[in-house]
Amino acid sequence: MRWDAQALKPAQQEMPGTAPLLPLAGLVRSVSTPEFAGVTFHEVTAKSVLNKVPAGSRMPFEWTVNPYRGCSHACVYCFARKTHTYLDFDAGLDFDSQVVVKINAAEVLRKELAKPSWNRHHVALGTNTDPYQRAEGRYRLMPGIIGALADSGTPLSILTKGTLLARDIPLLKHAAAQVPVGIGISLAMTDEHLSEAIEPGTPGPRARLKLVSRLREAGLPCGVMAMPILPWLSDSDEALDSLFASLAAAGATGVTAGALYLKPGTREWFMQWIAARHPELVGRYRRLYGTGSYASKEYRTWLAGRVRFFKARHGLAGSHGFSHRDVDDPKPGHQQADAAPQEGMLFGATLPDGTLPDETLPDKTVPDKTLPDDPRGEEAAYPEGSLPQPRSPRSGPGQHSQHGVKRTSQPTLF
């Protein structure tokens, strides 16, 4: 049965095999089609779509909108997997195959934005699951959401892996003439085979690089979140050099990079994948991550140095080094010499293969023994262009810098 031929009906009237797995608030129907083999879409009507970010969060925004729950991109490492358990789905296969769609998202959002109490705070999209996953081609929720935000005078940002965003470039250009707009693309590897294996539902790296270029050619900003860098899989000098060279060539306005983050729910699913695809790495990952969510401080320090070096090599050094904060940036009283090809490794820093760097190498970096071990600090900055930049009082709608974004670095947010 073709999707377009299906009429909206209560879920209990659907054909056998399309009933929902569990009662969902506002459920209209559950849909499975040959176009999305193995994926079921649970269409719901939402009462509210504006989500308030918890007060204790370090995120640089207060409000989010997530038109979808679950994601057919099926990224093995996705940090949002555990959120699916709040709906009584599991964080593994269900997250990839049971997608909740808020079919009235744009309509509800317009009503919420029209309230006198709304203060036009920045609203971020794509913070949990991707708003441009494949289903967006069918549901077309984002044009209405973007229009509602722009028409209300609300700044917005979008983070996505989905090349479906290209469909909305004209709409985003129009929105950027009304309100500040930020756009971020998630891309952390250029190896097409690795991407196909670990993020099988996403457009490949080449397609996302082309999207970055299209956004820049349209005069829109485009920061890149180069996360996660995968130990032993995408952290070699060759991989990092290829990544940052490609991002620079595509015209990214800024880049941040960070190591794989394995929070509960994601950790179990990822380690199952590692055991199946790269069994030789299971022990290494267990030692590197221990019982926590973050790679060891030594590894993050080592990676920070390599990221800094390759960003400098490709002219990206002014756009935030290591995911939100360079963990080995010198503090007052600590000195660091100019980067050189052999640098970026601190004495005592464990390398990905478990060895220590040769202390006879020309390493001019003076280690900062007082650096606090605060891995959350690595998540506190976004690449330039990915967040809406406040306009100066003199700026009118649509007045941006040469590159479509004010060229100032993002603040470190703690």
PDB file of all heavy atoms in Angstrom, residues 106-137:
ATOM      1  N   ALA A 106       4.346  22.490  13.434  1.00  0.00           N
ATOM      2  CA  ALA A 106       4.374  23.887  12.984  1.00  0.00           C
ATOM      3  C   ALA A 106       3.165  24.658  13.492  1.00  0.00           C
ATOM      4  O   ALA A 106       3.285  25.811  13.933  1.00  0.00           O
ATOM      5  CB  ALA A 106       4.442  23.941  11.464  1.00  0.00           C
ATOM      6  N   GLU A 107       2.005  24.044  13.442  1.00  0.00           N
ATOM      7  CA  GLU A 107       0.784  24.708  13.901  1.00  0.00           C
ATOM      8  C   GLU A 107       0.854  25.026  15.392  1.00  0.00           C
ATOM      9  O   GLU A 107       0.532  26.145  15.828  1.00  0.00           O
ATOM     10  CB  GLU A 107      -0.419  23.804  13.618  1.00  0.00           C
ATOM     11  CG  GLU A 107      -1.739  24.328  14.133  1.00  0.00           C
ATOM     12  CD  GLU A 107      -2.874  23.325  13.966  1.00  0.00           C
ATOM     13  OE1 GLU A 107      -2.662  22.277  13.322  1.00  0.00           O
ATOM     14  OE2 GLU A 107      -3.972  23.590  14.505  1.00  0.00           O
ATOM     15  N   VAL A 108       1.289  24.053  16.189  1.00  0.00           N
ATOM     16  CA  VAL A 108       1.387  24.260  17.636  1.00  0.00           C
ATOM     17  C   VAL A 108       2.447  25.308  17.948  1.00  0.00           C
ATOM     18  O   VAL A 108       2.266  26.163  18.817  1.00  0.00           O
ATOM     19  CB  VAL A 108       1.704  22.927  18.349  1.00  0.00           C
ATOM     20  CG1 VAL A 108       1.992  23.161  19.822  1.00  0.00           C
ATOM     21  CG2 VAL A 108       0.545  21.955  18.180  1.00  0.00           C
ATOM     22  N   LEU A 109       3.567  25.259  17.221  1.00  0.00           N
ATOM     23  CA  LEU A 109       4.648  26.205  17.463  1.00  0.00           C
ATOM     24  C   LEU A 109       4.184  27.638  17.215  1.00  0.00           C
ATOM     25  O   LEU A 109       4.511  28.546  17.994  1.00  0.00           O
ATOM     26  CB  LEU A 109       5.844  25.873  16.569  1.00  0.00           C
ATOM     27  CG  LEU A 109       7.062  26.787  16.700  1.00  0.00           C
ATOM     28  CD1 LEU A 109       7.614  26.761  18.124  1.00  0.00           C
ATOM     29  CD2 LEU A 109       8.149  26.382  15.705  1.00  0.00           C
ATOM     30  N   ARG A 110       3.441  27.875  16.153  1.00  0.00           N
ATOM     31  CA  ARG A 110       2.955  29.234  15.866  1.00  0.00           C
ATOM     32  C   ARG A 110       2.117  29.771  17.019  1.00  0.00           C
ATOM     33  O   ARG A 110       2.227  30.939  17.408  1.00  0.00           O
ATOM     34  CB  ARG A 110       2.147  29.253  14.575  1.00  0.00           C
ATOM     35  CG  ARG A 110       2.998  29.285  13.325  1.00  0.00           C
ATOM     36  CD  ARG A 110       2.199  29.645  12.088  1.00  0.00           C
ATOM     37  NE  ARG A 110       3.069  29.723  10.922  1.00  0.00           N
ATOM     38  CZ  ARG A 110       3.745  30.798  10.557  1.00  0.00           C
ATOM     39  NH1 ARG A 110       3.647  31.916  11.283  1.00  0.00           N
ATOM     40  NH2 ARG A 110       4.508  30.783   9.478  1.00  0.00           N
ATOM     41  N   LYS A 111       1.300  28.914  17.589  1.00  0.00           N
ATOM     42  CA  LYS A 111       0.468  29.338  18.711  1.00  0.00           C
ATOM     43  C   LYS A 111       1.318  29.670  19.928  1.00  0.00           C
ATOM     44  O   LYS A 111       1.057  30.657  20.636  1.00  0.00           O
ATOM     45  CB  LYS A 111      -0.548  28.242  19.049  1.00  0.00           C
ATOM     46  CG  LYS A 111      -1.602  28.030  17.966  1.00  0.00           C
ATOM     47  CD  LYS A 111      -2.564  26.911  18.355  1.00  0.00           C
ATOM     48  CE  LYS A 111      -3.615  26.702  17.270  1.00  0.00           C
ATOM     49  NZ  LYS A 111      -4.548  25.586  17.608  1.00  0.00           N
ATOM     50  N   GLU A 112       2.348  28.853  20.171  1.00  0.00           N
ATOM     51  CA  GLU A 112       3.203  29.102  21.328  1.00  0.00           C
ATOM     52  C   GLU A 112       4.018  30.377  21.154  1.00  0.00           C
ATOM     53  O   GLU A 112       4.231  31.131  22.110  1.00  0.00           O
ATOM     54  CB  GLU A 112       4.126  27.900  21.550  1.00  0.00           C
ATOM     55  CG  GLU A 112       3.384  26.648  22.011  1.00  0.00           C
ATOM     56  CD  GLU A 112       4.306  25.489  22.272  1.00  0.00           C
ATOM     57  OE1 GLU A 112       4.979  25.039  21.324  1.00  0.00           O
ATOM     58  OE2 GLU A 112       4.369  25.023  23.430  1.00  0.00           O
ATOM     59  N   LEU A 113       4.483  30.624  19.944  1.00  0.00           N
ATOM     60  CA  LEU A 113       5.293  31.818  19.686  1.00  0.00           C
ATOM     61  C   LEU A 113       4.463  33.097  19.712  1.00  0.00           C
ATOM     62  O   LEU A 113       5.009  34.196  19.882  1.00  0.00           O
ATOM     63  CB  LEU A 113       5.980  31.696  18.322  1.00  0.00           C
ATOM     64  CG  LEU A 113       6.982  30.548  18.163  1.00  0.00           C
ATOM     65  CD1 LEU A 113       7.485  30.482  16.726  1.00  0.00           C
ATOM     66  CD2 LEU A 113       8.149  30.699  19.133  1.00  0.00           C
ATOM     67  N   ALA A 114       3.155  32.954  19.541  1.00  0.00           N
ATOM     68  CA  ALA A 114       2.269  34.126  19.528  1.00  0.00           C
ATOM     69  C   ALA A 114       1.868  34.582  20.923  1.00  0.00           C
ATOM     70  O   ALA A 114       1.265  35.644  21.087  1.00  0.00           O
ATOM     71  CB  ALA A 114       1.020  33.820  18.706  1.00  0.00           C
ATOM     72  N   LYS A 115       2.234  33.814  21.945  1.00  0.00           N
ATOM     73  CA  LYS A 115       1.862  34.179  23.309  1.00  0.00           C
ATOM     74  C   LYS A 115       2.623  35.434  23.744  1.00  0.00           C
ATOM     75  O   LYS A 115       3.802  35.597  23.436  1.00  0.00           O
ATOM     76  CB  LYS A 115       2.167  33.026  24.269  1.00  0.00           C
ATOM     77  CG  LYS A 115       1.307  31.789  24.040  1.00  0.00           C
ATOM     78  CD  LYS A 115       1.677  30.680  25.012  1.00  0.00           C
ATOM     79  CE  LYS A 115       0.807  29.443  24.797  1.00  0.00           C
ATOM     80  NZ  LYS A 115       1.167  28.346  25.728  1.00  0.00           N
ATOM     81  N   PRO A 116       1.970  36.329  24.459  1.00  0.00           N
ATOM     82  CA  PRO A 116       2.642  37.548  24.929  1.00  0.00           C
ATOM     83  C   PRO A 116       3.860  37.252  25.799  1.00  0.00           C
ATOM     84  O   PRO A 116       4.780  38.071  25.874  1.00  0.00           O
ATOM     85  CB  PRO A 116       1.550  38.256  25.740  1.00  0.00           C
ATOM     86  CG  PRO A 116       0.257  37.731  25.192  1.00  0.00           C
ATOM     87  CD  PRO A 116       0.538  36.309  24.814  1.00  0.00           C
ATOM     88  N   SER A 117       3.894  36.103  26.431  1.00  0.00           N
ATOM     89  CA  SER A 117       5.003  35.755  27.325  1.00  0.00           C
ATOM     90  C   SER A 117       6.263  35.315  26.565  1.00  0.00           C
ATOM     91  O   SER A 117       7.335  35.216  27.166  1.00  0.00           O
ATOM     92  CB  SER A 117       4.583  34.632  28.273  1.00  0.00           C
ATOM     93  OG  SER A 117       4.170  33.484  27.544  1.00  0.00           O
ATOM     94  N   TRP A 118       6.138  35.070  25.262  1.00  0.00           N
ATOM     95  CA  TRP A 118       7.306  34.603  24.504  1.00  0.00           C
ATOM     96  C   TRP A 118       8.273  35.761  24.267  1.00  0.00           C
ATOM     97  O   TRP A 118       7.908  36.777  23.698  1.00  0.00           O
ATOM     98  CB  TRP A 118       6.880  33.988  23.170  1.00  0.00           C
ATOM     99  CG  TRP A 118       8.062  33.557  22.333  1.00  0.00           C
ATOM    100  CD1 TRP A 118       8.439  34.043  21.129  1.00  0.00           C
ATOM    101  CD2 TRP A 118       9.020  32.541  22.680  1.00  0.00           C
ATOM    102  NE1 TRP A 118       9.569  33.415  20.682  1.00  0.00           N
ATOM    103  CE2 TRP A 118       9.963  32.479  21.607  1.00  0.00           C
ATOM    104  CE3 TRP A 118       9.178  31.689  23.773  1.00  0.00           C
ATOM    105  CZ2 TRP A 118      11.034  31.599  21.624  1.00  0.00           C
ATOM    106  CZ3 TRP A 118      10.256  30.809  23.774  1.00  0.00           C
ATOM    107  CH2 TRP A 118      11.168  30.764  22.713  1.00  0.00           C
ATOM    108  N   ASN A 119       9.522  35.573  24.673  1.00  0.00           N
ATOM    109  CA  ASN A 119      10.525  36.637  24.615  1.00  0.00           C
ATOM    110  C   ASN A 119      11.509  36.504  23.456  1.00  0.00           C
ATOM    111  O   ASN A 119      12.561  37.132  23.460  1.00  0.00           O
ATOM    112  CB  ASN A 119      11.294  36.688  25.936  1.00  0.00           C
ATOM    113  CG  ASN A 119      10.433  37.159  27.083  1.00  0.00           C
ATOM    114  OD1 ASN A 119       9.638  38.077  26.912  1.00  0.00           O
ATOM    115  ND2 ASN A 119      10.561  36.514  28.243  1.00  0.00           N
ATOM    116  N   ARG A 120      11.182  35.682  22.480  1.00  0.00           N
ATOM    117  CA  ARG A 120      11.997  35.526  21.268  1.00  0.00           C
ATOM    118  C   ARG A 120      13.426  35.082  21.578  1.00  0.00           C
ATOM    119  O   ARG A 120      14.391  35.592  21.032  1.00  0.00           O
ATOM    120  CB  ARG A 120      11.997  36.816  20.443  1.00  0.00           C
ATOM    121  CG  ARG A 120      10.618  37.199  19.925  1.00  0.00           C
ATOM    122  CD  ARG A 120      10.636  38.513  19.157  1.00  0.00           C
ATOM    123  NE  ARG A 120       9.328  38.816  18.609  1.00  0.00           N
ATOM    124  CZ  ARG A 120       8.321  39.357  19.290  1.00  0.00           C
ATOM    125  NH1 ARG A 120       8.508  39.662  20.577  1.00  0.00           N
ATOM    126  NH2 ARG A 120       7.169  39.600  18.721  1.00  0.00           N
ATOM    127  N   HIS A 121      13.527  34.107  22.462  1.00  0.00           N
ATOM    128  CA  HIS A 121      14.827  33.501  22.735  1.00  0.00           C
ATOM    129  C   HIS A 121      15.229  32.616  21.555  1.00  0.00           C
ATOM    130  O   HIS A 121      14.376  32.091  20.826  1.00  0.00           O
ATOM    131  CB  HIS A 121      14.773  32.646  24.009  1.00  0.00           C
ATOM    132  CG  HIS A 121      14.533  33.431  25.259  1.00  0.00           C
ATOM    133  ND1 HIS A 121      15.470  34.271  25.797  1.00  0.00           N
ATOM    134  CD2 HIS A 121      13.451  33.496  26.079  1.00  0.00           C
ATOM    135  CE1 HIS A 121      14.994  34.829  26.895  1.00  0.00           C
ATOM    136  NE2 HIS A 121      13.768  34.383  27.086  1.00  0.00           N
ATOM    137  N   HIS A 122      16.510  32.429  21.393  1.00  0.00           N
ATOM    138  CA  HIS A 122      17.043  31.526  20.374  1.00  0.00           C
ATOM    139  C   HIS A 122      16.457  30.125  20.566  1.00  0.00           C
ATOM    140  O   HIS A 122      16.458  29.566  21.662  1.00  0.00           O
ATOM    141  CB  HIS A 122      18.574  31.513  20.501  1.00  0.00           C
ATOM    142  CG  HIS A 122      19.247  30.343  19.846  1.00  0.00           C
ATOM    143  ND1 HIS A 122      20.436  29.822  20.311  1.00  0.00           N
ATOM    144  CD2 HIS A 122      18.924  29.600  18.758  1.00  0.00           C
ATOM    145  CE1 HIS A 122      20.812  28.814  19.555  1.00  0.00           C
ATOM    146  NE2 HIS A 122      19.915  28.660  18.603  1.00  0.00           N
ATOM    147  N   VAL A 123      15.959  29.527  19.476  1.00  0.00           N
ATOM    148  CA  VAL A 123      15.431  28.163  19.487  1.00  0.00           C
ATOM    149  C   VAL A 123      16.340  27.285  18.638  1.00  0.00           C
ATOM    150  O   VAL A 123      16.642  27.600  17.480  1.00  0.00           O
ATOM    151  CB  VAL A 123      13.987  28.114  18.947  1.00  0.00           C
ATOM    152  CG1 VAL A 123      13.524  26.666  18.781  1.00  0.00           C
ATOM    153  CG2 VAL A 123      13.045  28.865  19.889  1.00  0.00           C
ATOM    154  N   ALA A 124      16.793  26.171  19.213  1.00  0.00           N
ATOM    155  CA  ALA A 124      17.702  25.255  18.525  1.00  0.00           C
ATOM    156  C   ALA A 124      16.950  24.021  18.045  1.00  0.00           C
ATOM    157  O   ALA A 124      16.145  23.444  18.777  1.00  0.00           O
ATOM    158  CB  ALA A 124      18.843  24.846  19.459  1.00  0.00           C
ATOM    159  N   LEU A 125      17.217  23.632  16.817  1.00  0.00           N
ATOM    160  CA  LEU A 125      16.628  22.429  16.226  1.00  0.00           C
ATOM    161  C   LEU A 125      17.723  21.425  15.916  1.00  0.00           C
ATOM    162  O   LEU A 125      18.795  21.803  15.450  1.00  0.00           O
ATOM    163  CB  LEU A 125      15.873  22.778  14.946  1.00  0.00           C
ATOM    164  CG  LEU A 125      14.723  23.760  15.126  1.00  0.00           C
ATOM    165  CD1 LEU A 125      14.987  25.027  14.332  1.00  0.00           C
ATOM    166  CD2 LEU A 125      13.413  23.134  14.695  1.00  0.00           C
ATOM    167  N   GLY A 126      17.452  20.157  16.173  1.00  0.00           N
ATOM    168  CA  GLY A 126      18.442  19.124  15.914  1.00  0.00           C
ATOM    169  C   GLY A 126      19.307  18.797  17.102  1.00  0.00           C
ATOM    170  O   GLY A 126      20.358  18.170  16.956  1.00  0.00           O
ATOM    171  N   THR A 127      18.886  19.192  18.281  1.00  0.00           N
ATOM    172  CA  THR A 127      19.697  18.950  19.479  1.00  0.00           C
ATOM    173  C   THR A 127      19.517  17.541  20.021  1.00  0.00           C
ATOM    174  O   THR A 127      20.342  17.065  20.800  1.00  0.00           O
ATOM    175  CB  THR A 127      19.323  19.946  20.582  1.00  0.00           C
ATOM    176  OG1 THR A 127      17.931  19.792  20.901  1.00  0.00           O
ATOM    177  CG2 THR A 127      19.570  21.374  20.116  1.00  0.00           C
ATOM    178  N   ASN A 128      18.444  16.869  19.660  1.00  0.00           N
ATOM    179  CA  ASN A 128      18.203  15.516  20.145  1.00  0.00           C
ATOM    180  C   ASN A 128      18.238  14.531  18.978  1.00  0.00           C
ATOM    181  O   ASN A 128      19.136  13.710  18.882  1.00  0.00           O
ATOM    182  CB  ASN A 128      16.866  15.443  20.890  1.00  0.00           C
ATOM    183  CG  ASN A 128      16.673  14.105  21.581  1.00  0.00           C
ATOM    184  OD1 ASN A 128      17.563  13.622  22.262  1.00  0.00           O
ATOM    185  ND2 ASN A 128      15.513  13.489  21.402  1.00  0.00           N
ATOM    186  N   THR A 129      17.273  14.625  18.074  1.00  0.00           N
ATOM    187  CA  THR A 129      17.291  13.801  16.875  1.00  0.00           C
ATOM    188  C   THR A 129      17.226  14.706  15.652  1.00  0.00           C
ATOM    189  O   THR A 129      16.813  15.856  15.731  1.00  0.00           O
ATOM    190  CB  THR A 129      16.131  12.792  16.857  1.00  0.00           C
ATOM    191  OG1 THR A 129      14.895  13.476  17.039  1.00  0.00           O
ATOM    192  CG2 THR A 129      16.300  11.772  17.966  1.00  0.00           C
ATOM    193  N   ASP A 130      17.634  14.170  14.521  1.00  0.00           N
ATOM    194  CA  ASP A 130      17.844  14.992  13.332  1.00  0.00           C
ATOM    195  C   ASP A 130      16.527  15.440  12.704  1.00  0.00           C
ATOM    196  O   ASP A 130      15.685  14.621  12.344  1.00  0.00           O
ATOM    197  CB  ASP A 130      18.658  14.212  12.305  1.00  0.00           C
ATOM    198  CG  ASP A 130      19.367  15.110  11.322  1.00  0.00           C
ATOM    199  OD1 ASP A 130      18.723  16.014  10.775  1.00  0.00           O
ATOM    200  OD2 ASP A 130      20.571  14.920  11.107  1.00  0.00           O
ATOM    201  N   PRO A 131      16.324  16.766  12.544  1.00  0.00           N
ATOM    202  CA  PRO A 131      15.089  17.258  11.929  1.00  0.00           C
ATOM    203  C   PRO A 131      15.050  17.038  10.426  1.00  0.00           C
ATOM    204  O   PRO A 131      13.990  17.202   9.808  1.00  0.00           O
ATOM    205  CB  PRO A 131      15.112  18.751  12.263  1.00  0.00           C
ATOM    206  CG  PRO A 131      16.558  19.093  12.358  1.00  0.00           C
ATOM    207  CD  PRO A 131      17.214  17.883  12.950  1.00  0.00           C
ATOM    208  N   TYR A 132      16.193  16.664   9.829  1.00  0.00           N
ATOM    209  CA  TYR A 132      16.226  16.393   8.394  1.00  0.00           C
ATOM    210  C   TYR A 132      16.566  14.938   8.105  1.00  0.00           C
ATOM    211  O   TYR A 132      17.206  14.625   7.109  1.00  0.00           O
ATOM    212  CB  TYR A 132      17.217  17.327   7.697  1.00  0.00           C
ATOM    213  CG  TYR A 132      16.670  18.716   7.491  1.00  0.00           C
ATOM    214  CD1 TYR A 132      17.049  19.764   8.318  1.00  0.00           C
ATOM    215  CD2 TYR A 132      15.739  18.982   6.485  1.00  0.00           C
ATOM    216  CE1 TYR A 132      16.545  21.042   8.135  1.00  0.00           C
ATOM    217  CE2 TYR A 132      15.221  20.257   6.291  1.00  0.00           C
ATOM    218  CZ  TYR A 132      15.636  21.281   7.121  1.00  0.00           C
ATOM    219  OH  TYR A 132      15.113  22.543   6.943  1.00  0.00           O
ATOM    220  N   GLN A 133      16.105  14.032   8.983  1.00  0.00           N
ATOM    221  CA  GLN A 133      16.218  12.632   8.651  1.00  0.00           C
ATOM    222  C   GLN A 133      15.285  12.336   7.475  1.00  0.00           C
ATOM    223  O   GLN A 133      14.474  13.162   7.079  1.00  0.00           O
ATOM    224  CB  GLN A 133      15.888  11.758   9.856  1.00  0.00           C
ATOM    225  CG  GLN A 133      14.517  12.000  10.480  1.00  0.00           C
ATOM    226  CD  GLN A 133      14.293  11.133  11.705  1.00  0.00           C
ATOM    227  OE1 GLN A 133      14.082   9.929  11.583  1.00  0.00           O
ATOM    228  NE2 GLN A 133      14.369  11.739  12.896  1.00  0.00           N
ATOM    229  N   ARG A 134      15.402  11.155   6.906  1.00  0.00           N
ATOM    230  CA  ARG A 134      14.720  10.856   5.629  1.00  0.00           C
ATOM    231  C   ARG A 134      13.223  11.144   5.650  1.00  0.00           C
ATOM    232  O   ARG A 134      12.652  11.596   4.654  1.00  0.00           O
ATOM    233  CB  ARG A 134      14.939   9.390   5.247  1.00  0.00           C
ATOM    234  CG  ARG A 134      16.301   9.079   4.672  1.00  0.00           C
ATOM    235  CD  ARG A 134      16.365   7.619   4.251  1.00  0.00           C
ATOM    236  NE  ARG A 134      15.354   7.312   3.238  1.00  0.00           N
ATOM    237  CZ  ARG A 134      14.745   6.135   3.127  1.00  0.00           C
ATOM    238  NH1 ARG A 134      15.018   5.160   3.987  1.00  0.00           N
ATOM    239  NH2 ARG A 134      13.859   5.912   2.178  1.00  0.00           N
ATOM    240  N   ALA A 135      12.568  10.908   6.780  1.00  0.00           N
ATOM    241  CA  ALA A 135      11.115  11.086   6.839  1.00  0.00           C
ATOM    242  C   ALA A 135      10.700  12.526   6.573  1.00  0.00           C
ATOM    243  O   ALA A 135       9.565  12.789   6.164  1.00  0.00           O
ATOM    244  CB  ALA A 135      10.587  10.640   8.198  1.00  0.00           C
ATOM    245  N   GLU A 136      11.609  13.483   6.780  1.00  0.00           N
ATOM    246  CA  GLU A 136      11.275  14.882   6.536  1.00  0.00           C
ATOM    247  C   GLU A 136      10.914  15.113   5.071  1.00  0.00           C
ATOM    248  O   GLU A 136      10.140  16.028   4.757  1.00  0.00           O
ATOM    249  CB  GLU A 136      12.446  15.779   6.957  1.00  0.00           C
ATOM    250  CG  GLU A 136      12.316  17.242   6.594  1.00  0.00           C
ATOM    251  CD  GLU A 136      11.105  17.940   7.211  1.00  0.00           C
ATOM    252  OE1 GLU A 136      10.521  17.407   8.179  1.00  0.00           O
ATOM    253  OE2 GLU A 136      10.742  19.018   6.709  1.00  0.00           O
ATOM    254  N   GLY A 137      11.424  14.286   4.185  1.00  0.00           N
ATOM    255  CA  GLY A 137      11.041  14.391   2.783  1.00  0.00           C
ATOM    256  C   GLY A 137       9.568  14.120   2.572  1.00  0.00           C
ATOM    257  O   GLY A 137       8.947  14.669   1.645  1.00  0.00           O
TER     258      GLY A 137
END
